[in-house]
Amino acid sequence: MKYNHILIRYAELSLKGKNRKEFERKLLETVRTLLKDFKNVRVQRTFGRMFVELNGADEREVSNRLKNIFGIHSFSPALKVDLNQEKIDEAALWAVKDAIPAENGTFKVTVKRPNKDFPGRSQELNYHIGSHILRNTKEMTVDVHHPDVEVKVEIRHEAAYILCKTLKGAGGLPVGTAGKVLLMLSGGIDSPVAGYLALKRGVMLEAIHFHSPPFTNDRARQKVEDLARVLTQYGGNIKLHIVPFTAVQQAIHQHVPDSYEMTVTRRFMLRIAERTAQNIDARAIVNGESLGQVASQTLDSMYTINEVTNLPIIRPLVTMDKLEVIDIAKEIGTYDLSILPFEDCCTIFLPPQSKTKPNKNKANLFEEKLDIEKYVQEAVDGIETVMISSKKQVDEEFKELF
Ligand code: ATP
Ligand code: MG
């Protein structure tokens, strides 16, 4: 015997009407797309939940995919069996043994019987199935308060379902339900985590990266593409816009005093990001800033840098400590890539001391020497866009979806 279904639960209660329909539709599409390469797998939606029919696919492999999909609250492998008492007993016993192969823990049976045509009351069925398990295992005992495994049996009209374990889903909202954002993706630890957390709230995401060849090399660019690829596991394909930033940085280096180079550089990045966001219909910019982490991320810096745009800037990491960010980076699989030592465009030109309290008026004054519009437009015109996809098989599907 092996699990033949996976039951997916989502947090539908917090959603109403139209939103809920959209939520379910997007989630269904995403689950189908990300499981596409399991040829025989089918995904169905019924009464506020979803079922994956495994049709022979490995439950653990499919679970590994599901655990990354936003919008899923939890999921459980399930045995679907005919409405037949013996089959139900057998399946419940198998599920307990699967959960505790040593057969030496505690369990409890909980029967729900929405199908009232099935003979026996829930209490009687609990007792019957429990006895069957006790008789056929070595050292299992019943504990109704804190069992090691709870055997859930649902007797529905079409079949009975037996579930024994619940796995935690990624939570959040399905990607594509909350509009589009533009993620400023550097090669560092923070911005991929910021992207992940934004995806978790259901946004669709494109990314922008500022690249300064020959001062930053192809490996630095490759690293950013690899980071974006890790993020595709959570949100599907990502369009990555690579901005040629050398000319801007050189001009800033030439005309702006050392202590304001960083501030002005950030302001240009933001202007270019804003224009790109407008071009792709993104409604906000997401970055990896965290309050007070470095000179460019003091409140005064944010105030002066933020001045150049009216677009909302979402900073998912704003209140986090570096160690908290690192923990998430490790969990989502970006950390090892992020710590590879390739030069970032920001570190090349920037002097060691930057103003931690830059002044708006001064920043504006120093920028007067630069033809802002020309530099911004040239950078935007020079953007190279690459499509980052995790798997060839799902590639085409996602293009259609988003
Ligand atoms: P990260 O670890 O994400 O690089 P950081 O702590 O090194 O962040 P900064 O280098 O000051 O911080 O950058 C702050 C934010 O600005 C980054 O999180 C990222 O969103 C954005 N950013 C910085 N450099 C680039 C770049 N070359 N391309 C795109 N975005 C960038
Ligand atoms: Mg950085």
Side-chain angles (χ1 to χ4, degrees), residues 186-188 266 344:
S186 69
R266 296 289 174 188
D344 182 37

Side-chain angles (χ1 to χ4, degrees), residues 172-201:
L173 300 169
V175 170
T177 51
K180 196 195 283 179
V181 299
L182 181 63
L183 168 69
M184 295 175 69
L185 184 62
S186 69
I189 294 169
D190 300 324
S191 47
V193 173
Y196 167 83
L197 293 172
L199 283 170
K200 185 170 182 180
R201 298 315 301 161

